Amino acid sequence: MMKEYWQEELEVSSRSSLEKLQIERLNKTIEYAIQSPYYNKLFNKKGISPGSIKNIAQIQDLPFTTKQDLRNNFPYGFLTLPKKEIIRLHSSSGTTGNPTVIFHNRHDINSWANLMARSLFCAGVRDTDVFQNISGYGLFTGGLGFQYGIEALGCLSIPAGAGNSKRQIKLMQDYGTTVAHAIPSYLGRLYEVFEQENLDPKKNTQLHTLVIGAEPHTEEQRQRIEAMFGVKAYNSFGLSEMNGPGVAFECTYQSGLHIWEDAFYVEIIDPETLQPVPDGEYGELVMTTLDREAMPLIRYRTRDITRIIPGKCKCGRVHRRIDRITGRTDDMFIIKGCNVFPMQIEGVLLKIPEVGSDYLITLETVNDVDEMVVEVEVKPNWFSGDIRKLDQLTKQITTQIRDEVLAKPIVKLVEKGSIPRAEGKAVRVADKRNNGLK
Ligand code: ADP
Ligand code: ZN
């Protein structure tokens, strides 16, 4: 019979055997954690010892860990093992401040590679695929994290690295790439280069799947990517504190991301009260590593906002699904008294066919009043066209954004290519207000 799952015994087990494994692994995690200077001090103070977890709900008695705790104890305060045992470090891209660092021993690297292979298999990638990884190789986890998973799965891997779109296209054509991984904001630009070269990815490549992740994006953006490239695009979620990619992944039903609960214990909490929210409700994702030795993290507050999708997935996997990340708690900005997430604005923009793939939200103080300026790139044939039509489009976008976020924006249509392209993850908001949260 054809293999349907990467690890059948873990992916289609019962919830009760998954929970048994979680309790076992949580106790082992505490055993490791207590060897680090940070958790040693904390656990001794709170009387937490290995073996003390008898049922999984007791995890709520353990303290949270925050990004600030990681920064305060940089670089070695969370390390459980002598440096001799450690074989790699990765650090986050530092989108919101100083970087944080995560250390791995050989067990951790193998376990991560296996989770990545499982994730890709779950999205329909097979060892017969040619996999081009369009991702920075280095401290960013999207490079090596994918690389090890692609190899564990057995695809022919092309470690292409990021950028240089013409070369990416050439690699795709030379080797018959069937699957590629990239951040979603890059794919719009890659498509522009296909167009410049008079090529159509639907006809001139063998791509059937794109794996997109590492930055927030909307369902509208996914659909645009699928249409441009004539592929299925699967959402991949991870963060360097939880290894990197391979934390949660969509299966071929594309109805939420299976979060690998044998490796991570998942909670969704209200970020204000810190209490769990019921399944189906949005809150902050909190995760505990269950299979990491060198640097376990207990109840790590990711600041990512999502929810558990109630019910079972058609694919039969026991792992619950989280919904697309709507943003981070620290992405939200307040303008004219309204709470706004950039993804709400992206959702409005990308539904409009005349809008290109890039936009920038600038918050600025004009005559002592805070304004939200939304610059929107429009497709080339539109920009050179009729002024009245541009006016109409501006009005349409203004109204639709206002209806979505309740604050009225100042919309400026701009020519394709005029918004500066970020090197890595897309920058969607620039806060230039006098008293703005930077
Ligand atoms: P940094 O925090 O510096 O950006 P990471 O590279 O570890 O460093 O980024 C992880 C973060 O990227 C996640 O916490 C989340 O906010 C975002 N992210 C990753 N994958 C996705 C995804 N598929 N959808 C939305 N956001 C994502
Ligand atoms: Zn599924």
Side-chain angles (χ1 to χ4, degrees), residues 24-78:
E24 217 174 89
R25 288 186 165 181
L26 181 57
N27 280 308
K28 209 168 145 209
T29 299
I30 295 174
E31 218 174 293
Y32 273 102
I34 211 158
Q35 296 173 51
S36 74
Y38 176 79
Y39 284 121
N40 189 280
K41 204 163 140 209
L42 189 65
F43 287 3
N44 282 335
K45 203 165 89 193
K46 298 199 180 266
I48 298 162
S49 57
S52 60
I53 303 289
K54 303 280 182 258
N55 72 62
I56 202 68
Q58 283 175 290
I59 197 167
Q60 286 178 29
D61 301 334
L62 302 179
F64 289 108
T65 306
T66 63
K67 202 167 187 110
Q68 197 55 45
D69 296 328
L70 294 179
R71 286 188 181 136
N72 292 347
N73 295 277
F74 179 86
Y76 294 121
F78 279 83

Side-chain angles (χ1 to χ4, degrees), residues 251 258 313 315:
C251 69
H258 288 284
C313 183
C315 73

Side-chain angles (χ1 to χ4, degrees), residues 122 250-256 258 313-317 321:
C122 161
E250 277 182 326
C251 69
T252 48
Y253 288 95
Q254 292 183 314
S255 57
H258 288 284
C313 183
K314 288 194 197 122
C315 73
R317 287 182 176 82
R321 290 161 298 161

Side-chain angles (χ1 to χ4, degrees), residues 218-220 342-352 359:
T218 51
E219 180 58 34
E220 286 74 19
M343 284 307 110
Q344 290 178 280
I345 295 183
E346 178 176 304
V348 169
L349 295 178
L350 299 193
K351 270 197 203 94
I352 302 172
Y359 63 92

